[in-house]
């Protein structure tokens, strides 16, 4: 069948002509057959339907080429056209020679038509019509596949020679791309538009069709496990409402093979060593919309482990001990996964002894009568291996020494697989390189030499953040920070940040050198100014600032390793704290500036602020020195999946300054990779602070409110910020329908709800990180479920103010609390009076004169007015202290971390199962726009 193309010439302006369909979507067929023609010879008559006549074979006529002329070539030189044939002047030729020349010219794919004339005279004329040049390649109708993705696959391109073979191949490639997406009904129709100068536009018109889903998965031959159980093992899912959002419901031929392997893996881990998939057929429904997949399986018999032995050709190994530690017991159901784990364990054990390229081969002894599977692990003889060379590649910014100092082996050392793994974990923990980094091991110049290669792929270590966000803790947040974790490629860290929110403001600068003078000694320092506004909740759940704390200071840090896993860190800090109160709410003295000790009469009113806040205000220096003892075996400090970490620290304040205490704190965490992407973790922490100062009075704790521990959101989810532990609450009084005075118990109607902190606390957490699909992981989604328990306690009970109000005993014996009327005083301590409004000269004026008037405090009194004492009235309230108990609070919840395009986001839904009646619980918390 020929491939006929009709093309219409277009004008020099390149106007588009009528596109003509190339011969069929399938593009089957071959170029028109061409044969040698003799000029002037008539065309052969059609064959008649008569009996065949046997004729004598004609003799082969050989002639000589007298001349060769090329006609029709436009872009190609005549010599170039002749170079594709074996025809040369003066050579003898036959009809077969001319036929071969035509085939050779077509094979070059440069020509659309070839005719050789002049065979009868020997003066050959090669009449050729060149294939056109492609002007443009156009794709139409492709919505699901972007044009740039298709262009990577097709071969046709502008300025290339147009050939029908290339078009067929490109159509097949485009169709295959759609099939990979599960669109098996896709149709690609090629068209060609002829242009002047023998050019063409090639157009691929695409009809994408619907995405072919997997309508049904049938499994035949299974008796032990149900169809639904086996479908759970497969990556491919049936198209159902429950799988509406899944991308695995589309048919994928590669996934079909993967599912067969998953079935085999499942059965082999359940003891069915003879299991096999005899056939897997995917049938496309007649409408080409869906697939029906049918598996035929043979489950076979279930086996148990037989005798487990180890046969080692390496003399250093104790075969019996190795076999006993493989985790495989005789009589257990056969599990191929345990066999793989045993092989890895033996290889790792050999690596610990310095054998880098040890072969471990399991020999199976299948007994079909007893249905047991005996195993002998043969460890082939190997030579002890030494590190010949350590190559570091891919680090364009990071200096080699930064990587090499984390590698626990040196060139010439005996190979040790544990040290290689440890080196890998330490490099990963730097955070300078892409995840899943591995140190490759290749054989060196001899069998007993190994080359370790660290192929690094650097990632950005500089962070510039200008952001605004919203936090359930601090409401609106503005943050600007710059941080370089690999400054100058030396592993140094340089950071600066400015943070502003409704309740906190800070400016911080810091620098850390992890290897001082190329020694394993870390040193760093920070300077800071932090402005923190403590708050409580008042009527209608409104926040009210209680005390302010402005801290300015610095800290110097240093750390040295004691062993591979133990580290000792020391620090010294000096800070100046200014703690004050809101003057508009809590002071009584007109000269009081909110800072205790700065006025002739400190005006903090306990009835307004509470004794615990009045005792907190003041200015003081804190000079402290501390240390931390750290044990760290985590496989990554960024996102650990295995290992544990323990920190014990103490800080001593009193090396000068105004504050004296010892603060002790411990933290511990352990991570478990429990398989299938699940990561479990256990965390525990606690602390205690002991004051070294003398008693500061009855009802005053020696540890100041600004130095105590606090517990709640975000560390203890399920509770509000500072929502756990000792607190003072003020409740107002109201009158019920019978006229009796009662306490307002509504939590949102409290006059004050102040967290006081504690001297001791503990907090534990069990968390399970749940794996998601590849798409969710790429989005940075990491969900988890958790349970937490903790408590905050251990302070001196404060002096409460509710008992100062006068009372009245009612007729029914109940007690009614009355407002407290107090005398107002001037700054010199003299009582204040108010001139009556009936006085003609100074009505309503305040004075220190009981009779008469003086415009100055303590001045001579003139006049005869009898003045009234100046008083203040405080409405009665009930003040209670609670929450100071080591009894555990418990919460359960679920949360998700999301590295969103606009910043890290954390959402938690946590419920407090066990709490104190004074604790502040919180069900939903979120934080976005700032680190958490």
């Amino acid at each position: 069948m020929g491939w006929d193309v009709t093309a219409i010439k277009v004008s020099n302006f390149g106007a588009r002509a009528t596109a003509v369909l190339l011969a069929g979507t399938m593009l089957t067929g071959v170029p028109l057959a061409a044969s040698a023609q003799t000029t002037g010879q008539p065309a052969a008559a059609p064959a008649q339907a008569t009996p065949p006549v046997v004729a004598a074979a004609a003799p082969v006529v050989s002639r000589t080429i007298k001349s060769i002329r090329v006609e029709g070539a436009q872009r190609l030189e005549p010599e170039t056209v002749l170079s594709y044939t074996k025809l040369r002047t003066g050579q003898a030729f036959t009809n077969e020679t001319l036929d071969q020349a035509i085939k050779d010219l077509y094979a070059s794919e440069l020509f659309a038509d070839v005719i050789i004339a002049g065979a009868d005279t020997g003066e050959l004329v090669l009449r050729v019509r060149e294939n056109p040049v492609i002007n443009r390649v156009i794709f139409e109708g492709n919505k699901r596949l972007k044009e740039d993705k298709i262009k990577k696959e097709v071969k046709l391109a502008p300025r290339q020679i147009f050939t029908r073979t290339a078009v067929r191949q490109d159509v097949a490639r485009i169709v295959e791309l759609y099939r990979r997406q599960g669109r098996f009904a896709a149709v690609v129709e090629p068209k060609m538009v002829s242009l002047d100068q023998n050019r063409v536009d090639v157009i691929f018109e695409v009809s994408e069709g619907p995405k072919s889903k997997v309508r049904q998965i049938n499994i035949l031959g299974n008796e032990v496990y149900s169809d639904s159980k086996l479908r759970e093992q497969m990556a491919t899912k049936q198209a159902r409402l429950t799988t509406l959002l899944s991308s695995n419901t589309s048919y994928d031929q590669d996934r079909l093979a993967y599912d067969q392997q998953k079935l085999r893996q499942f059965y082999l881990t359940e003891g069915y060593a003879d299991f096999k998939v005899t056939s897997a057929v995917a049938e496309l429904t007649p409408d080409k919309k869906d697939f029906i997949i049918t598996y035929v399986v043979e489950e076979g018999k279930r086996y148990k482990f037989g005798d487990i032995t180890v046969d080692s050709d390496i003399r250093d190994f104790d075969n019996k001990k190795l076999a006993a530690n493989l985790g495989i017991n005789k009589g257990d159901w056969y599990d191929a996964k345990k066999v793989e784990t045993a092989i890895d364990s033996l290889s790792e054990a050999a690596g610990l002894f310095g054998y880098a390229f040890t072969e471990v081969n399991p020999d199976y002894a299948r007994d079909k009568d007893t249905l047991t599977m005996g195993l002998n692990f043969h460890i082939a003889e190997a030579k002890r291996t030494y590190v010949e060379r350590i190559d570091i590649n891919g680090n364009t910014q990071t200096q080699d020494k930064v990587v090499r100092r984390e590698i626990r082996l040196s060139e010439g050392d005996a190979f040790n697989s544990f040290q290689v793994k440890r080196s890998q974990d330490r490099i990963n923990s730097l955070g300078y390189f892409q995840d899943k980094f591995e140190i490759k091991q290749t054989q060196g110049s001899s069998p007993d030499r190994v080359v370790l290669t660290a192929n690094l792929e650097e990632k950005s270590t500089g962070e510039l953040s200008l952001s605004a966000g919203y936090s359930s803790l601090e409401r609106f947040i503005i943050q600007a920070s710059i941080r370089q974790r690999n400054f100058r490629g030396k592993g140094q860290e340089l950071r600066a940040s400015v943070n502003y929110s409704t309740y906190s403001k800070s400016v911080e600068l810091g620098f850390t050198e992890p290897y001082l003078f190329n020694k394993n000694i870390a040193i760093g320092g920070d300077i800071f100014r932090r402005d923190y506004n403590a708050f409580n909740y008042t009527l209608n759940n409104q926040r009210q600032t209680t005390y302010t704390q402005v801290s300015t200071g610095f800290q110097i840090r240093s750390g040295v390793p004691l062993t591979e896993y133990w580290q000792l860190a020391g620090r010294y800090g000096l800070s100046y704290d200014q703690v004050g109160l809101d003057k508009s709410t809590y002071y009584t003295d007109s000269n009081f500036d909110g800072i205790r000790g700065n006025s002739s009469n400190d005006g903090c009113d306990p009835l307004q602020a509470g004794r615990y806040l009045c005792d907190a205000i003041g200015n003081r220096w804190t000079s402290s020195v501390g240390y931390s003892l750290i044990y760290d075996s985590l496989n990554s400090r960024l996102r650990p999946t295995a290992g544990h970490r323990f920190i014990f620290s103490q800080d001593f304040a009193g090396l000068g300054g105004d504050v004296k205490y010892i603060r002790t704190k411990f933290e511990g965490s352990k991570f478990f990779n429990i398989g299938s992407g699940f990561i479990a973790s256990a965390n525990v922490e606690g602390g205690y602070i002991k004051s070294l100062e003398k008693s500061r009075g009855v009802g005053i704790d020696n540890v100041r409110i600004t130095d105590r521990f606090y517990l709640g959101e975000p560390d203890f989810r399920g509770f509000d910020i500072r929502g756990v532990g000792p607190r003072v609450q003020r409740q107002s009084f109201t009158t019920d329908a019978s006229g009796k005075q009662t306490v307002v118990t509504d939590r949102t109607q409290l006059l004050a709800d102040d967290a006081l902190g504690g001297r001791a606390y503990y907090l534990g957490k069990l968390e399970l990180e749940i794996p998601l699909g590849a798409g969710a992981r790429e989005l940075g989604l990491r969900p988890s479920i958790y349970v937490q328990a903790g408590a905050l306690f251990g302070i001196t009970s404060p002096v409460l103010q509710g008992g100062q109000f006068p009372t009245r005993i009612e007729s029914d014996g109940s007690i009614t609390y009355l407002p407290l009327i107090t005398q107002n005083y001037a700054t010199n301590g003299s009582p204040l009076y108010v001139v009556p409004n009936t006085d003609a000269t100074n009505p309503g004026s305040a004075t220190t004169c009981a009779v008469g008037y003086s415009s100055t405090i303590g001045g001579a009194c003139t006049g005869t007015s009898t003045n009234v004492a100046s008083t203040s009235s405080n409405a009665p309230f009930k003040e209670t202290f609670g929450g100071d108990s080591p009894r555990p609070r418990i919460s359960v919840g679920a949360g998700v971390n999301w590295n969103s395009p606009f910043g890290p986001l954390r959402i938690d839904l946590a419920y407090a199962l066990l709490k104190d009646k004074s604790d502040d619980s919180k069900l939903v918390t979120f934080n976005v726009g700032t680190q958490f």
Side-chain angles (χ1 to χ4, degrees):
M1 178 183 293
W3 197 49
D4 298 326
V5 177
T6 303
I8 300 176
K9 292 264 185 179
V10 298
S11 67
N12 291 333
F13 295 100
R16 182 171 177 174
T18 304
V20 181
L21 173 65
L22 300 179
T25 303
M26 298 303 294
L27 289 178
T28 58
V30 296
L32 289 171
S35 60
Q37 298 182 6
T38 304
T39 305
Q41 288 183 342
Q48 301 294 323
T50 57
V53 177
V54 179
V60 177
V61 179
S62 178
R63 288 156 288 181
T64 302
I65 301 176
K66 298 178 181 179
S67 65
I68 304 175
R69 188 172 74 255
V70 177
E71 294 180 355
Q74 298 179 358
R75 299 185 306 274
L76 301 175
E77 297 294 332
E79 293 78 6
T80 303
V81 177
L82 287 174
S83 68
Y84 289 98
T85 71
K86 297 180 180 179
L87 301 178
R88 299 295 183 268
T89 302
Q91 291 181 348
F93 72 94
T94 63
N95 288 343
E96 288 75 10
T97 305
L98 300 182
D99 287 340
Q100 185 60 45
I102 292 175
K103 292 178 181 179
D104 292 340
L105 289 172
Y106 274 124
S108 69
E109 295 190 341
L110 296 174
F111 307 101
D113 193 18
V114 178
I115 296 175
I116 300 179
D120 55 340
T121 63
E123 296 177 350
L124 302 183
V125 179
L126 274 63
R127 296 191 178 99
V128 298
R129 181 162 59 87
E130 295 176 346
N131 275 330
V133 174
I134 298 173
N135 179 55
R136 291 184 301 169
V137 178
I138 303 171
F139 303 94
E140 295 181 352
N142 55 308
K143 297 179 180 179
R144 301 293 180 179
L145 275 179
K146 298 300 182 182
E147 187 170 315
D148 56 350
K149 187 172 183 179
I150 299 178
K151 283 184 175 180
K152 293 178 181 178
E153 297 292 331
V154 299
K155 301 300 182 183
L156 293 179
R159 296 184 297 277
Q160 289 186 355
I161 302 299
F162 171 85
T163 66
R164 288 164 286 190
T165 301
V167 173
R168 282 198 299 271
Q169 292 173 347
D170 282 351
V171 168
R173 289 189 184 97
I174 298 173
V175 170
E176 179 60 26
L177 285 177
Y178 277 99
R179 288 189 173 185
R180 292 177 189 172
Q181 284 199 341
R183 299 182 184 276
F184 285 81
V187 176
V188 180
E189 185 177 353
K191 292 184 177 180
M192 181 185 74
V193 176
S194 296
L195 306 175
D196 57 351
Q197 299 178 358
N198 198 20
R199 296 176 301 131
V200 293
D201 284 345
V202 179
I203 304 171
F204 292 101
E205 291 187 353
V206 181
S207 176
E208 296 181 317
K211 200 168 188 177
S212 301
K213 300 288 185 180
V214 176
R215 181 181 299 178
Q216 185 69 32
I217 300 177
N218 300 318
I219 305 174
L220 305 177
N222 54 310
E223 297 177 358
V224 180
Y225 297 103
S226 64
D227 287 7
S228 59
K229 179 67 174 179
L230 297 182
R231 290 191 193 106
E232 290 177 1
Q233 313 305 319
M234 301 178 186
T236 304
K237 304 299 178 184
Q238 297 179 132
R240 300 289 187 270
L241 289 177
T242 55
T243 57
L244 188 63
L245 300 178
S246 175
S247 61
N248 292 341
T249 57
S250 60
Y251 173 73
D252 188 330
Q253 187 174 359
D254 295 334
R255 198 184 295 142
L256 184 68
Y258 176 74
D259 286 340
Q260 295 180 60
Q261 182 61 29
K262 291 289 288 183
L263 283 176
R264 176 172 172 78
Q265 181 181 347
F266 170 71
Y267 271 95
L268 288 179
T269 56
E270 296 295 327
Y272 295 89
D274 295 330
F275 172 83
K276 60 182 177 180
V277 179
T278 57
S279 68
V281 179
E283 298 177 291
L284 188 62
T285 57
D287 58 5
K288 294 187 178 181
K289 290 184 178 180
D290 296 319
F291 273 88
I292 298 176
I293 301 176
T294 303
Y295 295 96
V296 180
V297 302
E298 291 182 8
E299 292 179 323
K301 300 294 183 179
R302 196 178 189 188
Y303 287 77
K304 290 186 176 181
F305 281 114
D307 293 326
I308 308 299
T309 59
V310 174
D311 177 20
S312 173
D313 292 339
I314 302 176
R315 292 178 299 176
D316 296 339
F317 290 173
D318 186 328
N319 295 336
K320 291 184 179 180
K321 286 185 178 180
L322 289 176
N325 294 323
L326 290 179
I328 302 177
N329 300 315
K330 183 178 180 179
D332 291 346
W333 291 113
Y334 173 78
D335 187 340
K337 181 64 176 177
K338 288 185 177 179
V339 177
E340 294 178 5
T341 303
I343 294 174
D344 294 339
S345 177
L346 291 173
S347 298
E348 184 175 340
L352 291 175
F353 283 86
Y355 301 96
F357 305 107
T358 305
E359 291 185 9
V360 180
N361 300 310
D363 296 326
Y364 297 88
R366 188 192 312 259
D367 191 332
K368 294 186 178 181
D369 295 330
T370 60
L371 295 180
T372 59
M373 182 75 73
L375 275 172
N376 176 60
F377 294 94
H378 178 71
I379 304 177
E381 185 177 2
K383 292 184 178 181
R384 193 179 297 274
T385 313
Y386 297 88
V387 178
E388 178 178 338
R389 192 173 68 253
I390 300 175
D391 294 335
I392 299 175
N393 305 319
N395 53 319
T396 56
Q397 177 184 350
T398 306
Q399 297 182 8
D400 272 13
K401 67 177 182 180
V402 174
V403 181
R404 288 187 181 276
R405 65 195 183 195
E406 303 299 332
I407 298 177
R408 316 325 280 170
L409 289 168
S410 300
E411 294 171 348
D413 288 352
F415 175 82
N416 187 301
S417 59
F418 175 79
Q419 297 289 12
V420 173
K421 179 65 169 60
R422 178 62 180 165
S423 303
Q424 184 176 294
D425 291 344
R426 290 181 65 94
I427 294 174
N428 273 324
S429 295
L430 292 175
Y432 306 157
F433 312 104
Q434 298 295 339
D435 297 339
K436 298 182 178 179
F437 158 78
E438 292 183 2
I439 296 178
K440 302 296 183 183
Q441 306 166 25
T442 57
Q443 186 169 307
S445 58
S446 60
D448 63 343
R449 293 290 183 267
V450 62
V451 175
L452 302 180
T453 304
N455 292 317
L456 307 170
E457 185 179 351
E458 291 184 321
K459 63 181 180 182
S460 175
T461 56
E463 300 170 10
L464 175 62
S465 173
L466 298 172
S467 61
Y470 184 86
S471 166
S472 59
L473 279 72
E474 300 182 88
R475 304 297 166 88
F476 289 100
I477 301 168
I478 298 176
Q479 179 188 39
S481 65
I482 184 170
R483 181 187 182 197
Q484 175 54 260
R485 293 182 289 110
N486 189 13
F487 185 57
R488 298 188 299 167
K490 294 183 175 182
Q492 301 166 338
E493 181 175 326
L494 181 66
R495 59 191 179 277
S497 65
V498 177
N499 294 276
Y500 178 88
S501 72
T502 307
Y503 296 100
S504 65
K505 308 168 186 65
S506 67
V507 177
E508 298 189 29
L509 299 173
F511 176 79
T512 301
E513 167 57 70
Y515 276 75
L516 183 65
F517 305 125
N518 293 322
K519 303 294 183 181
N520 200 355
I521 301 174
I523 191 168
D526 303 277
I527 58 174
F528 58 85
R529 180 179 175 87
R530 306 184 185 114
D531 187 350
Y532 174 73
N533 296 327
F535 59 87
N536 60 22
Y537 291 98
T538 59
L539 296 178
N540 300 317
N541 210 30
Q542 296 297 312
R543 290 190 177 197
Q544 172 181 279
T545 299
T546 55
Y547 67 87
T548 62
Q549 179 181 1
V550 180
S551 297
T552 306
F554 68 89
Q555 185 181 76
I556 299 175
R557 299 169 278 104
S558 181
V560 294
L562 302 178
T563 66
E564 176 63 27
Y565 298 105
W566 287 97
Q567 181 182 3
L568 179 65
R571 56 192 166 272
Y572 171 78
L574 180 65
S575 63
Y576 181 64
D577 295 319
Q578 298 170 278
V579 182
L581 292 174
D582 184 358
K583 292 193 299 182
S584 64
T585 305
Y586 299 120
Y587 81 106
T588 57
D589 180 5
S590 59
N591 293 327
F592 184 57
D593 60 4
I595 303 298
R596 194 173 186 184
N598 289 4
S599 172
S600 59
N601 180 18
D602 292 341
C604 181
D605 185 358
L607 286 176
Q608 298 295 327
R611 272 283 306 278
Y612 48 90
L613 290 183
C614 290
D615 295 333
I617 58 179
N619 301 340
R620 47 189 166 268
W621 286 93
T622 301
S623 174
S624 66
V625 61
Y627 73 94
S628 294
L629 188 62
I630 305 168
Y631 178 86
D632 189 348
S633 66
L634 298 179
N635 62 346
S636 173
R637 296 171 192 162
L638 304 178
R639 285 195 59 192
T641 59
H644 42 277
R645 178 179 174 90
F646 173 81
I647 303 175
F648 178 82
S649 60
Q650 285 188 308
D651 289 278
F652 303 88
L655 195 66
D658 307 307
V659 180
K660 296 177 176 62
Y661 62 74
I662 298 177
R663 179 189 285 119
T664 304
K665 188 175 179 181
F666 69 90
E667 301 175 48
S669 58
K670 185 172 180 60
F671 293 82
F672 311 83
N673 188 340
I674 59 179
S676 302
F678 289 91
I679 306 298
S681 61
N683 298 272
V684 62
E685 62 177 282
Y688 180 77
I689 181 170
K690 177 178 177 56
S691 176
L692 301 179
E693 300 181 27
K694 296 180 180 179
S695 174
R696 296 192 294 132
V698 178
I700 303 176
D701 198 285
N702 286 350
V703 178
R704 292 174 174 81
I705 194 171
T706 54
D707 297 324
R708 300 170 192 165
F709 297 111
Y710 290 89
L711 194 59
E713 184 189 348
D715 297 319
F716 201 167
R717 300 157 192 167
F719 294 90
D720 208 342
I721 180 173
R722 299 189 172 192
V724 177
R727 61 197 322 105
V728 170
Q729 295 174 332
R730 284 189 178 183
Q731 298 168 293
S732 60
F733 290 99
T734 187
T735 304
D736 60 15
S738 64
K740 184 177 180 180
Q741 188 182 63
T742 60
V743 176
V744 177
T745 58
D746 187 351
R747 188 68 179 252
T748 63
Q749 299 296 314
L750 292 175
L751 297 175
D753 187 8
D754 290 331
L756 304 187
R759 285 185 291 178
Y761 85 100
Y762 65 88
L763 178 64
K765 179 178 67 174
L766 295 175
E767 188 166 11
L768 179 65
E769 186 174 315
I770 302 172
L772 296 178
R777 286 197 302 269
E778 291 177 0
L779 290 175
L781 292 172
R782 292 187 290 116
S784 64
I785 56 176
Y786 50 83
V787 58
Q788 290 186 273
L792 177 71
F793 54 94
I795 66 169
T796 302
S797 298
V799 176
L800 303 179
Q801 303 299 306
Q804 300 184 28
F805 294 98
T807 59
R808 181 180 67 222
I809 300 177
E810 304 295 346
S811 60
D812 59 356
S814 62
I815 299 176
T816 297
Y817 289 88
L818 304 175
L820 179 64
I821 308 301
T822 56
Q823 172 72 52
N824 294 330
Y825 292 89
T827 56
N828 67 346
S830 301
L832 286 174
Y833 297 89
V834 178
V835 178
N837 290 330
T838 57
D839 184 76
T841 56
N842 301 292
S845 299
T847 180
T848 55
C849 300
V851 176
Y853 176 77
S854 173
S855 59
T856 60
I857 297 175
C861 300
T862 60
T864 60
S865 62
T866 303
N867 302 327
V868 179
S870 174
T871 60
S872 298
S873 176
N874 291 279
F877 58 79
K878 181 180 180 181
E879 195 170 71
T880 59
F881 171 69
D884 188 13
S885 170
R887 184 172 60 89
R889 282 73 155 174
I890 300 176
S891 68
V892 295
V896 60
N897 282 316
W898 178 32
N899 293 328
S900 68
F902 45 86
L905 173 109
R906 171 83 192 191
I907 299 177
D908 281 288
L909 181 67
Y911 178 75
L913 289 177
L914 186 62
K915 62 179 181 177
D916 190 88
K917 63 180 181 179
S918 63
D919 292 337
D920 285 337
S921 60
K922 193 170 187 178
L923 183 64
V924 180
T925 59
F926 70 93
N927 194 301
V928 63
T930 185
Q931 295 289 336
F932 46 81

